[in-house]
């Protein structure tokens, strides 16, 4: 049975973040190469080394994420086939002008960065299944020295153009929706997950994965995702319903 696009709003937001991170990096950060940085690699390990013993039962079937709220956050860990790991923390840190302020902190073995965006229309896009209903109002980046830059004017227009282009070439198709049973990840044990086969088309290429979702997890509901080619595994490392604080400062 096919589910609606809101089940995969996280995939849409992920693509959006990746597009904007590229733009921000080109505009504001000096390239440091793709080689592994021992200090960054050491920062990643603790995220994976303290698994939670928490148990989450089947409180209800996951159809779409719980209502958004300021303070919610999820921390996902990605392990690639070659053993490289990375961490992404997505937080809702505020409300402004009818939209949600989302902050994404990304940490890999070669880079570290923060992007913050004011996004309007998330609920409407979830209801209509039309990603054109999502609007980026502004974008902020923070460099390694803590300096905050606001992407505006021509740069914001370019970022929006790339973002819109990505979404116009994206389609999401849910192939099946079944009980995924118990899934154990570093964030805990989740019973009664919903197992969903996803097919995402980006710029002419098709990516397939299997995901497990649980209603106890905010923002996206994702507990685990495995790409069908076996090259990438994403696992929930931590989450919360409140307490997320912006790393941008005042």
């Amino acid at each position: 049975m096919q589910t609606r696009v809101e089940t995969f709003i996280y995939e849409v937001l992920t693509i959006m973040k990746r597009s904007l991170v590229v733009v921000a990096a080109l505009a504001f950060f000096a390239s440091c190469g793709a080689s592994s940085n021992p200090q960054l690699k050491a920062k990643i390990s603790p995220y994976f080394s303290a698994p939670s013993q928490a148990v989450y039962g089947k409180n209800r079937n996951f159809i779409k994420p719980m209502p958004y709220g300021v303070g919610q956050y999820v921390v996902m860990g990605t392990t690639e086939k070659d053993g490289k790991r990375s961490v992404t923390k997505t937080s809702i840190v505020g409300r402004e002008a009818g939209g949600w302020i989302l902050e994404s902190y990304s940490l890999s073995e070669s880079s570290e960065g923060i992007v913050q965006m004011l996004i309007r229309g998330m609920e409407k896009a979830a209801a209509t299944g039309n990603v054109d209903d999502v609007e980026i109002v502004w974008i902020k980046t923070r460099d390694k020295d803590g300096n905050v830059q606001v992407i505006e004017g021509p740069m914001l227009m370019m970022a929006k153009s790339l973002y819109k282009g990505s979404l116009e070439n994206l389609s999401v198709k849910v192939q099946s929706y079944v009980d995924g049973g118990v899934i154990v990840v570093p964030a805990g044990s989740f019973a009664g997950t919903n197992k969903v086969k996803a097919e995402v088309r980006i710029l002419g290429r098709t990516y397939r994965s299997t995901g497990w979702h649980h209603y106890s997890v905010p923002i996206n509901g994702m507990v685990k995702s495995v790409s069908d080619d076996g090259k990438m595994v994403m696992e929930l490392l931590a989450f919360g319903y409140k307490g997320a604080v912006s790393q941008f400062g005042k």
Side-chain angles (χ1 to χ4, degrees):
M1 178 177 70
Q2 291 190 1
T3 61
R4 295 162 63 186
V5 174
E6 64 258 36
T7 305
F8 282 90
I9 190 69
Y10 177 65
E11 279 79 358
V12 173
L13 293 175
T14 298
I15 292 163
M16 179 176 62
K17 287 186 296 181
R18 286 175 180 170
S19 299
L20 296 175
V21 167
V22 170
V23 174
L26 290 174
F28 297 111
F29 299 120
S31 173
C32 60
S35 59
S36 179
N37 182 322
Q39 293 180 325
L40 294 179
K41 191 172 182 179
K43 291 180 68 172
I44 293 173
S45 296
Y47 284 96
F48 290 84
S49 62
S52 172
Q53 301 302 311
V55 176
Y56 301 90
K58 185 178 180 181
N59 50 7
R60 60 185 294 182
N61 287 338
F62 178 88
I63 301 298
K64 62 180 180 180
M66 66 177 64
Y68 303 120
V70 174
Q72 294 177 353
Y73 67 91
V74 292
V75 183
M76 301 296 298
T78 300
T79 303
E80 299 178 29
K81 190 174 182 179
D82 60 4
K84 289 184 179 179
R85 298 188 298 187
S86 60
V87 174
T88 300
K89 179 178 182 180
T90 303
S91 307
I92 300 178
V93 297
R95 283 280 272 170
E96 183 179 307
W100 298 98
I101 301 176
L102 265 66
E103 187 168 295
S104 176
Y105 165 71
S106 300
L107 172 65
S108 72
E109 296 183 6
S110 60
S111 64
E112 183 178 25
I114 304 175
V115 175
Q116 191 180 87
M117 295 170 284
L118 173 58
I119 304 174
R120 282 200 294 246
M122 287 172 59
E123 290 89 350
K124 185 176 181 180
T128 64
N130 185 358
V131 292
D132 287 335
D133 290 327
V134 177
E135 175 193 4
I136 299 174
V137 181
W138 52 250
I139 308 165
K140 296 179 182 179
T141 66
R142 196 192 74 176
D143 65 21
K144 58 185 176 60
D145 297 318
N147 299 313
V148 175
Q149 299 281 352
V150 180
I151 300 179
E152 54 189 355
M155 283 299 300
L156 180 58
M157 293 303 295
M158 183 175 72
K160 285 184 174 181
S161 176
L162 290 176
Y163 151 75
K164 183 175 176 57
S166 295
L167 294 186
E168 285 177 345
N169 288 279
L170 176 150
S171 62
V172 179
K173 181 180 180 181
V174 178
Q175 297 175 322
S176 61
Y177 184 75
V178 299
D179 186 347
V182 178
I183 297 295
V184 179
V185 293
S189 176
F190 295 81
T193 60
N194 284 338
K195 181 180 179 181
V196 183
K197 296 289 290 184
E199 183 177 287
V200 181
R201 187 170 179 80
I202 308 170
L203 300 177
R205 296 186 62 184
T206 300
Y207 301 85
R208 297 180 177 87
S209 64
T210 301
W212 290 264
H213 301 255
H214 198 277
Y215 191 77
S216 295
V217 182
I219 300 180
N220 51 38
M222 182 179 289
V223 175
K224 185 175 182 178
S225 178
V226 180
S227 62
D228 284 6
D229 60 11
K231 293 182 178 180
M232 186 174 297
V233 177
M234 293 179 63
E235 297 180 294
L236 183 64
L237 304 180
F239 67 95
Y241 309 115
K242 58 183 180 180
V245 178
S246 174
Q247 297 183 55
F248 274 73
K250 300 295 184 181

